[in-house]
């Protein structure tokens, strides 16, 4: 299994090379050169596996044995998922009207990102320890990714993590899950801008090949293929749990609809890859008022709005769903030249009309929806009244679609639950609902905080570059350093 760039100019990279990277050197994103197909017999044989076992099976398809032997892979994934608060790391909850909720938020930061992030940092540590080298992780976050990256990487030998979050645009819990870490290898920046604005200097830093090479610069955003890889298991697990595939025979497989609240489109990209692997999913991507992905599906308009709107679902307040580049590559017949032209135009103008053939392919694999803050609150309230089950505003984005578009009798639907409602107390209260915060979140209120501000008008790229170089110099001297 080797990897290539979505922009066609990089081929033949190993999983290890891709893991220690961000964007590809040509500005694209890494994808497997071949997508394996899962025969029905394999799916039936996997139907009794735990989530942890399934992650191992999925990862083994994309990580060659000579890079990480199977017994090491199993040990790494077992370690990564050992501290989740439910026995199998994830949990399926069945609600009324044939809808199920796949809870992916039982890790330390109460967000789905913990699952892939913990596995990815274990892979990272595995290679670092064998090679006696250092890596600097650079992460921009719309809320949950930063806390999860810090939680999974803090205290690791040979790793520094630099996180940039949009000041004033995330919840207090999300912010304190980043700023209360005092480990020497954690460096947190609060930028006066949106998450999309933060991504601009980060992308430039990752295309500086000298900086990337000399400082071991890598990403733990879903830019990193390893994050997408682990998230493939979410969709396969949901399918095996809900489709009754084990009761079928032959090559005919039952369908399952999966509704995904999305911002950066990492989860929906994983779903599209799983569909390409032969699993008959009906995928629904649902966004909040930042609706670029919805407009792309509806009429081929992949263009940014004037600004990012702040909503009750802040982790998906994104106008640049960068993982859609991977989806476009898949659906264009892996046409790197086309994707390169499209994405370079989008980066320059923030506007793009999808080619007709590509738009048709997108509509064949995805349907979409957009939900207002009012719709989010209505879904939270209705879910509580009908099930006594409380959801976060992001999960409510998916549930709103369910309530608006009931499924036919006899069919099943799964909504992806990306975060705990405990992280979004103000949204819960605004919906008129009640919630007791877990002790771990209550304790954040009194902890010391530490971060550095990046003001609007300041050269963020230069400031982050200086931080990365200072980290490297301190490492060479064997001294602790904080930005």
């Amino acid at each position: 299994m080797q990897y290539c760039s979505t922009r066609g100019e990089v081929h033949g990279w190993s999983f290890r090379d891709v893991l220690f990277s961000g964007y590809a050197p040509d500005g694209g994103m890494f994808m497997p050169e071949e997508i394996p197909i899962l025969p029905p017999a394999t799916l039936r044989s996997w139907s009794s596996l735990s989530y942890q076992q399934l992650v191992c099976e999925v990862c083994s398809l994309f990580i060659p044995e000579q890079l990480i032997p199977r017994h090491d892979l199993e040990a790494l994934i077992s370690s990564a998922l050992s501290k989740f608060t439910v026995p199998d790391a994830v949990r399926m909850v069945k609600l009324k009207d044939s809808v199920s909720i796949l809870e992916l938020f039982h890790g330390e930061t109460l967000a789905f990102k913990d699952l892939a992030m913990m596995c990815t940092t274990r892979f990272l540590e595995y290679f670092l320890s064998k090679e006696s080298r250092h890596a600097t992780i650079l992460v921009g976050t719309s809320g949950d990714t930063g806390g999860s990256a810090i939680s999974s990487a803090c205290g690791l030998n040979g790793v520094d993590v630099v996180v940039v979050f949009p000041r004033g645009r995330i919840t207090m819990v999300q912010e304190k899950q980043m700023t209360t870490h005092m480990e020497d290898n954690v460096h947190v920046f609060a930028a006066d801008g949106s998450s999309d604005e933060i991504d601009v200097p980060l992308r430039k830093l990752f295309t500086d090949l000298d900086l990337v090479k000399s400082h071991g610069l890598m990403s733990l955003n879903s830019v990193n293929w390893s994050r997408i890889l682990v998230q493939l298991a979410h969709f396969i697990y949901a399918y095996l749990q809900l489709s009754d595939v084990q009761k079928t025979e032959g090559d005919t497989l039952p369908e399952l609809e999966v509704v995904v609240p999305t911002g950066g489109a990492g989860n929906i990209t994983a779903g599209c890859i799983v569909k390409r692997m032969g699993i008959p999913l009906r995928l629904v991507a649902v966004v909040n008022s930042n609706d670029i992905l919805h407009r792309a599906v509806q009429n081929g308009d992949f263009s940014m709005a004037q600004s990012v709107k702040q909503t009750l679902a802040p982790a998906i307040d994104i106008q640049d769903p960068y993982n859609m580049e991977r989806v476009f590559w898949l659906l264009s017949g892996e046409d790197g030249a086309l994707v390169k032209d499209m994405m370079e135009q989008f980066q320059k103008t923030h506007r793009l009309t999808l080619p007709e053939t590509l738009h048709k392919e997108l509509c064949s694999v995805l349907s979409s929806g957009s939900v207002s803050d009012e719709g989010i609150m209505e879904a939270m309230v209705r879910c509580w009244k009908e099930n006594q089950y409380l959801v976060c505003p992001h999960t409510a984005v998916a549930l709103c679609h369910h309530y608006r578009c009931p499924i036919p009798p006899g069919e099943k639907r799964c909504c992806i639950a990306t975060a705990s409602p405990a992280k979004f107390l103000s949204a819960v209260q605004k919906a008129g609902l009640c919630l007791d915060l877990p002790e771990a979140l209550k304790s954040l209120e009194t902890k010391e905080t530490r971060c550095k501000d990046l003001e609007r008008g300041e050269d963020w790229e230069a400031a982050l570059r200086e931080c990365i170089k200072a980290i490297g110099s301190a490492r060479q001297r064997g001294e602790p350093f904080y930005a």
Side-chain angles (χ1 to χ4, degrees):
M1 176 63 70
Q2 292 184 315
Y3 294 83
C4 62
S5 168
T6 51
R7 301 193 185 182
E9 297 177 8
V10 180
H11 298 274
W13 283 40
S14 70
F15 173 79
R16 179 239 172 257
D17 294 333
V18 169
L19 177 68
F20 282 95
S21 70
Y23 292 95
D26 62 358
M29 304 175 78
F30 283 109
M31 285 286 282
E33 292 189 353
E34 294 183 13
I35 305 293
I37 302 299
L38 294 173
T42 298
L43 292 173
R44 294 185 185 106
S45 71
W46 284 0
S47 60
S48 61
L49 296 182
S50 68
Y51 174 78
Q52 179 177 311
Q53 291 170 327
L54 186 62
V55 172
C56 287
E57 295 294 342
V58 173
C59 287
S60 69
L61 297 174
F62 295 90
I63 305 174
E65 176 93 8
Q66 60 267 32
L67 280 181
I68 305 181
R70 179 61 183 243
H71 65 278
D72 287 342
L73 182 65
E74 291 176 352
L76 292 170
I77 292 171
S78 175
S79 173
L81 302 180
S82 64
K83 295 182 180 179
F84 285 69
T85 57
V86 295
D88 202 20
V90 303
R91 181 167 62 190
M92 189 74 76
V93 177
K94 295 185 178 182
L95 306 182
K96 64 177 300 186
D97 298 328
S98 300
V99 65
S100 296
I101 304 290
L102 179 56
E103 295 180 343
L104 302 176
F105 53 74
H106 294 288
E108 184 175 342
T109 73
L110 306 180
F112 81 98
K113 319 238 170 152
D114 292 335
L115 291 160
M117 200 77 76
M118 291 299 294
C119 293
T120 297
T121 53
R122 292 302 186 275
F123 300 155
L124 172 64
E125 189 177 28
Y126 178 83
F127 287 113
L128 286 175
S129 64
K130 293 180 70 172
E131 300 168 13
S132 300
R133 59 183 293 250
H134 170 258
T136 301
I137 297 166
L138 178 61
V139 173
T141 182
S142 58
D144 288 330
T145 299
S148 185
I150 290 170
S151 173
S152 62
C154 67
L156 288 183
N157 291 326
V159 174
D160 278 87
V161 57
V162 180
V163 172
V164 191
F165 70 87
R167 187 171 70 233
R169 293 171 180 255
I170 62 177
T171 70
M172 188 55 63
V173 168
Q174 289 174 313
E175 180 174 327
K176 289 203 169 185
Q177 283 181 331
M178 292 181 269
T179 60
T180 55
H181 279 273
M182 298 294 155
E183 293 86 355
D184 287 333
N185 71 327
V186 175
H187 316 270
V188 181
F189 291 82
D192 182 19
S194 70
S195 58
D196 286 343
E197 290 172 313
I198 289 168
D199 282 339
V200 173
L202 267 59
R203 185 183 282 267
K204 291 179 180 178
L205 290 168
F206 279 116
T207 57
D208 182 339
L209 299 186
D210 289 338
L211 185 75
V212 169
K213 184 175 181 180
S214 59
H215 294 279
L217 194 64
M218 62 171 291
S219 173
L220 277 186
N221 288 77
S222 55
V223 169
N224 193 305
W225 161 252
S226 179
R227 289 272 311 280
I228 303 296
L229 167 57
V230 177
Q231 287 170 197
L232 301 180
H234 303 167
F235 292 87
I236 301 174
Y237 181 83
Y239 183 79
L240 296 176
Q241 289 289 307
L242 298 175
S243 69
D244 293 326
V245 64
Q246 70 274 15
K247 298 178 182 179
T248 64
E249 297 180 355
D251 293 335
T252 302
L253 294 173
E255 289 188 336
L256 176 70
E257 183 173 276
V258 183
V259 185
V260 186
T262 193
N267 252 344
I268 204 66
T269 298
C272 290
I273 295 170
V274 167
K275 192 174 176 72
R276 175 65 65 89
M277 293 171 75
I279 298 181
L281 299 176
R282 294 195 310 274
L283 296 170
V284 185
V286 192
V287 296
N288 56 25
S289 298
N290 298 287
D291 65 349
I292 180 173
L293 195 156
H294 177 52
R295 285 184 281 110
V297 174
Q298 295 303 304
N299 55 33
D301 177 22
F302 192 70
S303 300
M304 286 188 185
Q306 289 293 322
S307 61
V308 176
K309 299 175 183 176
Q310 292 183 256
T311 75
L312 292 177
I316 55 176
D317 285 350
I318 292 173
Q319 283 283 358
D320 181 3
Y322 50 83
N323 273 292
M324 287 303 292
E325 179 167 339
R326 287 178 159 126
V327 176
F328 296 154
W329 180 81
L330 274 177
L331 300 183
S332 67
E334 304 173 8
D335 188 338
L338 173 65
V339 172
K340 177 181 172 66
D341 288 344
M342 286 171 47
M343 301 316 297
E344 287 183 350
Q345 176 189 333
F346 178 73
Q347 286 167 346
K348 289 177 183 176
T349 67
H350 296 166
R351 305 193 65 80
L352 179 68
T353 299
L354 298 183
E356 184 177 348
T357 302
L358 179 58
H359 179 231
K360 185 177 180 180
E361 286 295 319
L362 181 63
C363 293
S364 73
V365 300
L366 273 185
S367 57
S368 66
S370 176
V371 178
S372 65
D373 277 359
E374 291 75 17
I376 289 172
M377 288 190 290
E378 289 170 5
M380 293 172 74
V381 170
R382 179 171 174 179
C383 184
W384 177 256
K385 286 182 177 178
E386 293 184 356
N387 303 280
Q388 285 70 60
Y389 182 79
L390 190 61
V391 295
C392 88
H394 307 81
T395 309
V397 166
L399 271 175
C400 187
H401 169 82
H402 169 70
Y403 293 136
R404 289 176 178 174
C405 306
I407 56 174
E411 295 189 11
K412 296 178 181 179
R413 171 180 282 160
C414 178
C415 290
I416 301 295
T418 55
S420 166
K423 296 191 75 170
F424 304 94
L425 181 60
S426 62
V428 172
Q429 292 172 336
K430 191 168 185 177
L433 302 172
C434 297
L435 171 68
D436 288 330
L437 284 179
E439 286 302 319
L441 296 189
K442 288 180 181 178
S443 67
L444 291 175
E445 297 177 4
T446 58
K447 286 187 176 181
E448 181 184 355
T449 62
R450 183 172 69 173
C451 74
K452 185 175 181 179
D453 288 336
L454 294 175
E455 301 298 344
R456 186 169 291 279
E458 184 181 352
D459 188 338
W460 298 354
E461 180 187 348
L464 294 171
R465 185 185 300 274
E466 182 182 339
C467 173
I468 291 163
K469 290 182 175 179
I471 288 169
S473 297
R475 281 273 180 181
Q476 289 181 346
R477 298 191 304 269
E479 299 173 357
F481 168 78
Y482 181 76

